[in-house]
Amino acid sequence: MSGGRRAWLDKTTPLLGQQSRSPPYTSRLPSASLEMSSSSPTPPANPTRCVFLGVDVGTGSARAGLFDENGKLLGSSSSLVQIWKDGAHVEQSSTDIWHAICAAVKEACSLAKVAPEEVKGLGFAATCSLVAVDADGSPVSVSWSGDSRRNVIVWMDHRAIEQAERINSSDSPVLQYCGGALSPEMEPPKLLWVKENLPESWVMVFRWMDLSDWLSYRATGDDTRSLCTTVCKWGYLGHAHMQRINDKDSQPMEALGWDDEFWEEIGLGDLIEGRHAKIGRSVAFPGHALRSGLTPAAAQELGLVAGIPVGTSLIDAHAGGVGVMESVPPSDSEAKGHDKEEICNRMVLVCGTSTCHMAVSQSKLYIPGVWGPFWSAMVPEYWLTEGGQSATGALLDHIIESHAASSHLANQAASQKVSVFELLNKILEKLMSEQNHSFVSALTEDIHVLPDFHGNRSPNADPKAKGVVCGLTLDTSEEQLALLYLATVQGIAYGTRHIVEHYNANGHKIKTLLACGGLSKNPLFIQEHADIIGCPIILPRESESVLLGAAILGAVASKKFSNVREAMKAMSAAGQVIRPSEDPKVKKYHDAKYKIFHSLYEQQLSYRSMMAQAMK
């Protein structure tokens, strides 16, 4: 998941009209942001300045951000990555991703006027995509095409739905730590799919790695896996290491949390061989300093200094959680030393291509249809529960781009130098005024959206769920598109409300939401969430929370901070607070639409059952 999104490419179209060539990824078009002029060259290094670099690979781009020791963003840059989509199959290239990272890091350092010697630590975050490489570290194809470049199964790839269903019928105790069922977005179903469908690739693969772990390995040569990736996406039982949390010296740990019976039962017993060599012999807490740091070869490619400490990685959404969970105003209870309890009353929304809903607890809470509980997978010593919506930013893009008015609207937005979202928000304000409504939400009285266009991740855990739009007409105007866009935003927010209520019904006490990611920069998206859920939403001081979370890993690896929680407190701070409307009409309106939201899914289940009977 990431805030960077772009239109899908089909399985043969090269990125940005690039012509096929060898090597195919030498052309990069980075985009950058910073608060200062970039006209002067990089100055000599300031030996007293500590700068930490965070790298985030999202669904459509690789980004790099530089932060000082107080968590202030000094500059950032991004570079697009290639993606192939063919039905349920979504693939990328690890080679292309690494080249994009190198371009983004160099550009960010140049624009922020940060010399290589000033970078004291580096951390990686990435989508939970699956990477396949051989014994030489070269890519192995996971694609029907046989194209060796396509060695990454992207997180949102749903090719393994049937494999996930078979695994979930195993009744393994491993399943109780992922809401009762593995998602096809997790790694075991995808591994089983490759074994059953691409036997030549299966034999060739020497390492299977989550993307963020592969990035750390590519940078350091250290094959240690993160507790975050293995616990959240591979069925690894991280609480096998509970006794190690208070160790003074951070060391990689032998991977004792693999359940060998689980792998044998689901048909992947060959991954147990060599002490789990292909999926990870050792694990470490996020932020653990890997081996001797950045290798000379990787340092040269990135434009950095060899030996820079590199912290064990995080999944991108979890990095967003690390970057934003302590971005709250100080409270009396925390001043009295109750912060261990306060952090458990918060939920982080990482809003990008998808949305992840991250909450922690001091004791393990089993929540049906919600991933977890995962021990120390994000915040050390806390159990993480992770809800999610598989398509949010991607859904809004789809709704807008598939509408008849999309092209004209895009041209208008470009001529006015604003985003399409800004233009749609202005159209909604105008419609509200013209129709004499007291609040903008009232415009969608006759339009209702069930946002499960890519299945339901939480809390229904139904990958076969489909999206529903109720209230379509023959109107193809921009105004009608604006209404459909608003109804989709509301549908996404009702889904989040469903998740929050489900959390609280199963032991959590969520009172405050914190939001980050690309969608959190859309004021309408955030206000609708606040009104619909009835909770204040805190935005962080620094908007690039995923990059900050990755940089925090580097800061911990450098020993600037003794642990992740300490670094979180030092490097994050609150920004704007969005509060729900106090108008009782707004609550009444959304309560009614929320009932319709639930009924749309219930009707879909009924229709599915009726058709299943008809097909017998």
Side-chain angles (χ1 to χ4, degrees):
M1 162 281 124
S2 173
R5 304 187 308 279
R6 53 180 297 278
W8 294 116
L9 297 176
D10 65 24
K11 62 180 180 178
T12 58
T13 305
L15 181 66
L16 294 177
Q18 290 176 346
Q19 298 300 311
S20 178
R21 60 186 184 274
S22 181
Y25 308 121
T26 56
S27 176
R28 289 285 155 208
L29 297 177
S31 63
S33 64
L34 71 170
E35 300 176 4
M36 63 190 79
S37 169
S38 60
S39 57
S40 58
T42 301
N46 179 351
T48 64
R49 185 162 70 155
C50 289
V51 177
F52 302 106
L53 171 62
V55 171
D56 165 41
V57 178
T59 307
S61 65
R63 303 183 303 140
L66 295 146
F67 297 83
D68 67 16
E69 58 194 277
N70 297 312
K72 180 176 175 56
L73 179 64
L74 305 175
S76 66
S77 179
S78 67
S79 187
L80 295 176
V81 295
Q82 187 165 11
I83 189 165
W84 293 272
K85 186 175 187 292
D86 182 16
H89 294 229
V90 189
E91 296 153 356
Q92 289 178 322
S93 160
S94 63
T95 303
D96 175 55
I97 288 170
W98 184 254
H99 289 170
I101 288 171
C102 293
V105 168
K106 290 176 181 177
E107 185 74 3
C109 289
S110 174
L111 289 165
K113 302 182 178 66
V114 169
E117 294 79 9
E118 294 177 291
V119 178
K120 307 300 183 185
L122 164 62
F124 291 100
T127 62
C128 49
S129 301
L130 179 64
V131 181
V133 294
D134 65 16
D136 297 324
S138 299
V140 177
S141 177
V142 292
S143 171
W144 283 125
S145 70
D147 185 345
S148 64
R149 294 176 303 169
R150 294 158 68 165
N151 71 316
V152 180
I153 302 180
V154 179
W155 67 270
M156 68 189 308
D157 182 292
H158 272 201
R159 71 181 68 184
I161 288 178
E162 189 268 333
Q163 284 77 13
E165 290 176 342
R166 276 192 276 133
I167 291 172
N168 292 333
S169 68
S170 70
D171 198 31
S172 168
V174 169
L175 300 181
Q176 68 180 307
Y177 289 95
C178 54
L182 285 183
S183 164
E185 296 174 12
M186 293 179 176
E187 311 306 10
K190 292 175 179 174
L191 290 165
L192 186 57
W193 184 94
V194 174
K195 181 177 181 180
E196 293 177 344
N197 292 277
L198 299 175
E200 292 183 5
S201 291
W202 182 256
V203 172
M204 290 175 62
V205 174
F206 186 76
R207 286 187 176 90
W208 293 102
M209 309 186 79
D210 239 70
L211 178 55
S212 61
D213 284 333
W214 180 82
L215 296 174
S216 298
Y217 169 70
R218 180 67 175 76
T220 66
D222 191 333
D223 190 26
T224 298
R225 313 299 175 93
S226 169
L227 271 182
C228 177
T229 59
T230 52
V231 171
C232 295
K233 305 302 172 186
W234 295 71
Y236 187 82
L237 303 179
H239 46 283
H241 303 287
M242 290 185 75
Q243 76 282 1
R244 296 290 301 272
I245 190 64
N246 294 317
D247 287 1
K248 292 183 179 179
D249 296 322
S250 175
Q251 297 290 335
M253 304 170 291
E254 182 182 355
L256 302 175
W258 295 117
D259 186 321
D260 290 353
E261 290 185 8
F262 167 73
W263 292 99
E264 290 174 345
E265 186 174 1
I266 67 173
L268 293 173
D270 40 346
L271 295 180
I272 299 170
E273 297 172 3
R275 293 189 299 115
H276 315 97
K278 290 187 177 182
I279 57 176
R281 288 180 173 178
S282 63
V283 297
F285 294 101
H288 159 77
L290 293 166
R291 195 171 284 183
S292 300
L294 201 62
T295 65
Q300 183 176 10
E301 293 171 315
L302 293 165
L304 299 174
V305 175
I308 292 172
V310 178
T312 305
S313 65
L314 284 165
I315 299 167
D316 57 352
H318 302 65
V322 166
V324 78
M325 188 159 263
E326 290 289 358
S327 299
V328 294
S331 66
D332 290 340
S333 57
E334 290 192 359
K336 295 175 183 177
H338 298 160
D339 61 320
K340 284 192 173 183
E341 300 170 10
E342 286 293 315
I343 196 173
C344 299
N345 296 329
R346 306 168 194 157
M347 174 183 281
V348 174
L349 309 182
V350 187
C351 315
T353 301
S354 63
T355 294
C356 293
H357 306 71
M358 324 291 285
V360 298
S361 57
Q362 291 182 276
S363 59
K364 55 183 174 182
L365 300 173
Y366 298 100
I367 306 179
V370 172
W371 297 344
F374 303 134
W375 184 76
S376 283
M378 188 174 78
V379 181
E381 298 187 71
Y382 287 87
W383 294 87
L384 169 69
T385 43
E386 179 188 350
Q389 294 164 290
S390 294
T392 52
L395 175 57
L396 289 171
D397 287 348
H398 172 75
I399 290 293
I400 294 169
E401 292 167 6
S402 61
H403 195 274
S406 175
S407 296
H408 182 61
L409 192 73
N411 290 335
Q412 273 190 290
S415 65
Q416 297 178 29
K417 297 183 179 180
V418 298
S419 71
V420 170
F421 291 140
E422 289 178 87
L423 195 55
L424 287 168
N425 293 350
K426 290 179 181 178
I427 292 173
L428 291 170
E429 291 176 7
K430 181 182 177 183
L431 290 174
M432 180 181 69
S433 176
E434 291 174 349
Q435 298 182 24
N436 295 316
H437 288 300
S438 59
F439 54 98
V440 72
S441 301
L443 291 167
T444 59
E445 177 183 358
D446 297 322
I447 307 178
H448 311 284
V449 174
L450 183 71
D452 297 339
F453 284 55
H454 199 58
N456 182 283
R457 187 187 299 171
S458 305
N460 297 325
D462 182 0
K464 293 183 178 180
K466 302 294 188 291
V468 177
V469 179
C470 176
L472 291 177
T473 71
L474 295 177
D475 187 354
T476 59
S477 67
E478 294 171 6
E479 288 76 15
Q480 192 275 338
L481 172 54
L483 296 178
L484 184 57
Y485 152 73
L486 174 58
T488 305
V489 168
Q490 291 169 341
I492 292 168
Y494 297 133
T496 294
R497 174 174 169 176
H498 190 195
I499 292 169
V500 172
E501 290 180 354
H502 191 64
Y503 270 57
N504 287 343
N506 285 276
H508 278 284
K509 297 178 181 178
I510 306 300
K511 300 176 182 177
T512 302
L513 305 181
L514 302 100
C516 64
L519 291 179
S520 70
K521 300 170 186 178
N522 183 338
L524 180 134
F525 184 89
I526 294 299
Q527 188 63 61
E528 289 297 292
H529 274 69
D531 292 345
I532 287 168
I533 301 164
C535 288
I537 301 180
I538 301 174
L539 301 177
R541 177 193 63 195
E542 299 293 344
S543 62
E544 298 293 352
S545 298
V546 177
L547 287 175
L548 175 58
I552 283 172
L553 301 175
V556 174
S558 75
K559 309 301 182 186
K560 176 66 179 179
F561 302 100
S562 61
N563 56 59
V564 169
R565 187 80 190 280
E566 180 186 329
M568 290 167 63
K569 287 176 172 292
M571 296 181 69
S572 58
Q576 185 180 8
V577 180
I578 310 299
R579 301 190 182 280
S581 171
E582 297 180 357
D583 185 347
K585 293 181 180 178
V586 174
K587 183 180 186 305
K588 182 179 179 181
Y589 178 86
H590 285 304
D591 285 347
K593 289 204 69 168
Y594 185 51
K595 290 179 181 178
I596 295 171
F597 165 85
H598 281 294
S599 71
L600 291 175
Y601 181 67
E602 292 163 2
Q603 290 175 31
Q604 181 178 148
L605 291 179
S606 175
Y607 299 155
R608 191 190 298 177
S609 176
M610 291 170 63
M611 294 310 301
Q613 289 296 321
M615 294 294 288
K616 285 184 178 180

